[in-house]
Amino acid sequence: MVERFYFIDGESRQKAFEIRHKVFVEEQKVARDEEFDAFDEVSVHYLAKDVGGSPVGTARWRFTDKGIKLERFAVLHQHRGGGVGKALMGAILNDLPPKQQVYLHAQVGVIPFYRQFGFLEDGDVFMECDIEHLAMSRTSTNADKLTLQKTIEAVKEFHDAFGIQVAHQPKARVEDRIIDLRYNLMKEENDEYLEAARSGDLVEIADALGDMLYILNGTIITHGLQEKIGPVFEEIQRSNMSKLDENGKPIYREDGKVLKSALYFKPNISRILGE
């Protein structure tokens, strides 16, 4: 079993860090301050467990200026060769957004492991933490999954076919009539959802939600955010998860509203947009 978690989840983080310490710091003699870095806070982490629920492996991935970098694959010695690494890689590749450049720095001794997932060598051997590495890369596909990017591309096809505006670069300002149209379309579907939900009509609820997604994607491409909305969503997710306290537990107000913990941080949307 492989679970995805974020840095804010203190319990899972501790278990993953213990595995990384045993594998990299103790076994491979990597300096601790090189193994645990600031990128842990912005990465998506994974924890593999055996049938008894004990943590046996971990890994992480993060966005970089080159694409998506996979890192810190570590499996406890006694569990190697049992499919833990494959389970971790499968879970990560299944999560990645499509059509992204995915790369990693593979220790030379485990290059065959990464080849079976479509990673190809890129460049010459180099030293990292006094261990020989080789850069490897592939393109994420997730062809069988309906992803956010696929829904955006479908709506773009509709816009292109019917001559509806599509921006190819992020832009805040569009014509007032288009702003009003996008707003009214979204409001109309929100109202239809409200009516359907209150009447308990599941078919109409699904129809309204599907239309809401379609119109939302149309608004995204109207503002040229189709390449940015994925990273924006990830940043908002990290921000929302930071509302958990230091023990990875939620804090509620008396009326049930989720409160922000002392660890909360605002999403840095400007960084993603390059502003």
Coordinates of all heavy atoms in Angstrom, one line a residue, residues 117-152:
F117 N 10.5 1.7 -16.4 CA 9.4 2.6 -16.4 C 9.5 3.7 -17.5 O 8.8 4.7 -17.5 CB 9.3 3.3 -15.0 CG 9.0 2.4 -13.9 CD1 10.0 1.9 -13.1 CD2 7.7 2.1 -13.6 CE1 9.7 1.0 -12.0 CE2 7.3 1.2 -12.6 CZ 8.3 0.7 -11.8
G118 N 10.4 3.4 -18.4 CA 10.5 4.3 -19.6 C 11.5 5.4 -19.4 O 11.6 6.3 -20.3
F119 N 12.3 5.4 -18.4 CA 13.3 6.5 -18.2 C 14.5 6.1 -19.0 O 14.9 4.9 -19.1 CB 13.7 6.6 -16.7 CG 12.6 7.3 -15.9 CD1 11.7 6.6 -15.3 CD2 12.7 8.7 -15.8 CE1 10.7 7.2 -14.5 CE2 11.7 9.3 -15.0 CZ 10.7 8.6 -14.4
L120 N 15.0 7.1 -19.7 CA 16.2 6.9 -20.6 C 17.4 7.8 -20.1 O 17.1 8.9 -19.6 CB 15.9 7.3 -22.0 CG 14.8 6.5 -22.7 CD1 14.5 7.0 -24.1 CD2 15.1 5.0 -22.7
E121 N 18.6 7.3 -20.3 CA 19.8 8.0 -19.8 C 19.9 9.3 -20.6 O 19.7 9.4 -21.8 CB 21.0 7.1 -20.0 CG 21.1 5.9 -19.0 CD 20.4 4.7 -19.6 OE1 19.6 4.8 -20.5 OE2 20.8 3.6 -19.2
D122 N 20.4 10.3 -19.9 CA 20.6 11.6 -20.5 C 21.8 12.3 -20.0 O 21.9 12.9 -18.9 CB 19.3 12.5 -20.1 CG 19.4 13.8 -20.8 OD1 20.2 14.0 -21.7 OD2 18.6 14.7 -20.4
G123 N 22.9 12.1 -20.8 CA 24.2 12.7 -20.4 C 25.2 11.7 -19.8 O 25.0 10.5 -20.0
D124 N 26.2 12.3 -19.1 CA 27.3 11.4 -18.6 C 27.1 11.2 -17.1 O 26.4 12.0 -16.4 CB 28.6 12.1 -18.9 CG 28.9 12.3 -20.4 OD1 28.5 11.4 -21.2 OD2 29.4 13.4 -20.8
V125 N 27.9 10.3 -16.6 CA 27.9 10.0 -15.2 C 28.5 11.2 -14.4 O 29.4 11.8 -14.9 CB 28.7 8.7 -14.9 CG1 28.9 8.5 -13.4 CG2 28.0 7.5 -15.5
F126 N 27.9 11.5 -13.3 CA 28.4 12.6 -12.5 C 28.3 12.2 -11.0 O 27.6 11.2 -10.6 CB 27.6 13.9 -12.7 CG 26.1 13.8 -12.4 CD1 25.6 14.1 -11.1 CD2 25.2 13.3 -13.3 CE1 24.3 14.0 -10.8 CE2 23.8 13.2 -13.0 CZ 23.4 13.6 -11.8
M127 N 29.0 12.9 -10.1 CA 29.0 12.6 -8.7 C 28.0 13.5 -8.0 O 27.9 14.7 -8.2 CB 30.4 12.8 -8.2 CG 31.5 12.0 -8.8 SD 31.2 10.2 -8.6 CE 31.4 10.0 -6.9
E128 N 27.2 12.8 -7.1 CA 26.3 13.5 -6.3 C 26.4 12.9 -4.9 O 26.1 11.7 -4.8 CB 24.9 13.5 -6.8 CG 23.9 14.4 -6.2 CD 22.6 14.5 -6.9 OE1 21.7 13.6 -6.7 OE2 22.4 15.4 -7.8
C129 N 26.7 13.6 -3.9 CA 26.9 13.1 -2.5 C 27.9 11.9 -2.5 O 27.8 10.9 -1.9 CB 25.6 12.6 -1.9 SG 24.3 13.9 -1.7
D130 N 29.0 12.1 -3.4 CA 30.0 11.1 -3.5 C 29.6 9.8 -4.0 O 30.2 8.7 -3.8 CB 30.8 10.9 -2.2 CG 31.5 12.1 -1.7 OD1 32.0 12.9 -2.6 OD2 31.6 12.4 -0.5
I131 N 28.4 9.8 -4.8 CA 27.9 8.5 -5.4 C 27.7 8.8 -6.9 O 27.2 9.9 -7.2 CB 26.6 8.1 -4.7 CG1 26.7 7.9 -3.2 CG2 26.0 6.9 -5.4 CD1 25.4 7.7 -2.5
E132 N 28.1 7.8 -7.7 CA 27.9 8.0 -9.1 C 26.4 8.0 -9.5 O 25.7 7.1 -9.1 CB 28.6 6.9 -9.9 CG 30.1 7.0 -9.9 CD 30.8 6.0 -10.8 OE1 30.2 4.9 -11.0 OE2 31.9 6.2 -11.3
H133 N 26.0 9.0 -10.3 CA 24.7 9.2 -10.7 C 24.6 9.4 -12.2 O 25.6 9.8 -12.9 CB 24.0 10.4 -10.1 CG 23.6 10.2 -8.6 ND1 24.5 10.1 -7.6 CD2 22.3 10.0 -8.1 CE1 23.8 9.9 -6.5 NE2 22.5 9.8 -6.7
L134 N 23.4 9.2 -12.8 CA 23.2 9.5 -14.2 C 21.8 10.1 -14.3 O 20.8 9.6 -13.7 CB 23.3 8.2 -15.0 CG 23.3 8.4 -16.6 CD1 24.6 9.1 -17.0 CD2 23.3 7.0 -17.2
A135 N 21.7 11.2 -15.1 CA 20.4 11.8 -15.3 C 19.5 10.9 -16.2 O 20.0 10.4 -17.2 CB 20.5 13.2 -15.9
M136 N 18.3 10.8 -15.9 CA 17.3 10.0 -16.7 C 16.0 10.8 -16.8 O 15.7 11.5 -15.9 CB 17.1 8.6 -16.1 CG 18.3 7.8 -15.8 SD 17.9 6.1 -15.2 CE 17.4 5.3 -16.7
S137 N 15.3 10.6 -17.9 CA 14.1 11.4 -18.1 C 13.1 10.6 -19.0 O 13.4 9.6 -19.7 CB 14.4 12.7 -18.8 OG 15.0 12.5 -20.1
R138 N 11.9 11.0 -18.9 CA 10.8 10.5 -19.7 C 9.7 11.5 -19.7 O 9.7 12.6 -19.0 CB 10.2 9.2 -19.1 CG 9.8 9.2 -17.7 CD 8.9 8.1 -17.3 NE 7.5 8.3 -17.7 CZ 6.5 7.4 -17.6 NH1 6.8 6.2 -17.2 NH2 5.3 7.7 -18.0
T139 N 8.6 11.3 -20.5 CA 7.5 12.2 -20.5 C 6.3 11.5 -19.8 O 6.0 10.3 -20.1 CB 7.1 12.6 -21.9 OG1 8.2 13.3 -22.5 CG2 5.9 13.5 -21.9
S140 N 5.6 12.2 -18.9 CA 4.5 11.6 -18.3 C 3.3 11.5 -19.3 O 3.2 12.4 -20.1 CB 4.0 12.4 -17.0 OG 3.7 13.7 -17.4
T141 N 2.5 10.5 -19.2 CA 1.4 10.3 -20.1 C 0.0 10.2 -19.4 O -0.8 11.1 -19.7 CB 1.6 9.0 -20.9 OG1 1.7 7.9 -20.0 CG2 2.8 9.1 -21.8
N142 N -0.1 9.3 -18.5 CA -1.4 9.1 -17.9 C -2.6 9.1 -18.9 O -3.6 9.7 -18.7 CB -1.7 10.2 -16.8 CG -0.9 10.0 -15.6 OD1 -0.3 8.9 -15.3 ND2 -0.8 11.0 -14.8
A143 N -2.3 8.4 -20.0 CA -3.3 8.4 -21.1 C -4.7 7.9 -20.8 O -5.6 8.3 -21.4 CB -2.7 7.6 -22.3
D144 N -4.7 7.0 -19.8 CA -6.0 6.4 -19.6 C -6.8 7.2 -18.5 O -8.0 6.8 -18.2 CB -5.8 5.0 -19.1 CG -5.2 4.1 -20.1 OD1 -5.5 4.4 -21.3 OD2 -4.5 3.1 -19.8
K145 N -6.3 8.3 -18.0 CA -7.0 9.0 -16.9 C -7.6 10.3 -17.5 O -7.0 10.9 -18.4 CB -6.0 9.4 -15.8 CG -5.5 8.2 -15.0 CD -4.5 8.6 -14.0 CE -5.2 9.6 -13.0 NZ -4.3 10.0 -11.9
L146 N -8.7 10.6 -17.0 CA -9.3 11.9 -17.4 C -8.7 12.9 -16.4 O -9.0 13.0 -15.2 CB -10.8 11.9 -17.2 CG -11.5 13.3 -17.5 CD1 -11.3 13.6 -19.0 CD2 -13.0 13.2 -17.2
T147 N -7.8 13.8 -16.9 CA -7.1 14.7 -16.1 C -7.7 16.2 -16.4 O -8.4 16.4 -17.3 CB -5.6 14.7 -16.4 OG1 -5.5 15.1 -17.8 CG2 -5.0 13.3 -16.3
L148 N -7.3 17.1 -15.5 CA -7.6 18.5 -15.7 C -7.2 19.0 -17.0 O -7.9 19.6 -17.7 CB -7.0 19.3 -14.6 CG -7.2 20.8 -14.7 CD1 -8.6 21.2 -14.7 CD2 -6.4 21.5 -13.6
Q149 N -5.9 18.6 -17.4 CA -5.4 19.0 -18.7 C -6.2 18.5 -19.9 O -6.4 19.2 -20.8 CB -3.9 18.6 -18.8 CG -3.2 19.4 -19.9 CD -3.1 20.9 -19.7 OE1 -2.9 21.3 -18.5 NE2 -3.2 21.7 -20.7
K150 N -6.7 17.3 -19.8 CA -7.5 16.7 -20.8 C -8.8 17.4 -21.0 O -9.3 17.7 -22.1 CB -7.7 15.2 -20.6 CG -6.6 14.3 -20.9 CD -6.9 12.9 -20.7 CE -5.7 12.0 -21.0 NZ -6.1 10.5 -20.8
T151 N -9.4 17.8 -19.9 CA -10.7 18.5 -19.9 C -10.5 19.9 -20.5 O -11.3 20.4 -21.3 CB -11.4 18.7 -18.5 OG1 -10.5 19.4 -17.7 CG2 -11.6 17.3 -18.0
I152 N -9.3 20.5 -20.2 CA -9.0 21.9 -20.8 C -8.8 21.8 -22.3 O -9.3 22.6 -23.0 CB -7.8 22.5 -20.1 CG1 -8.1 22.9 -18.6 CG2 -7.2 23.7 -20.9 CD1 -6.9 23.3 -17.8

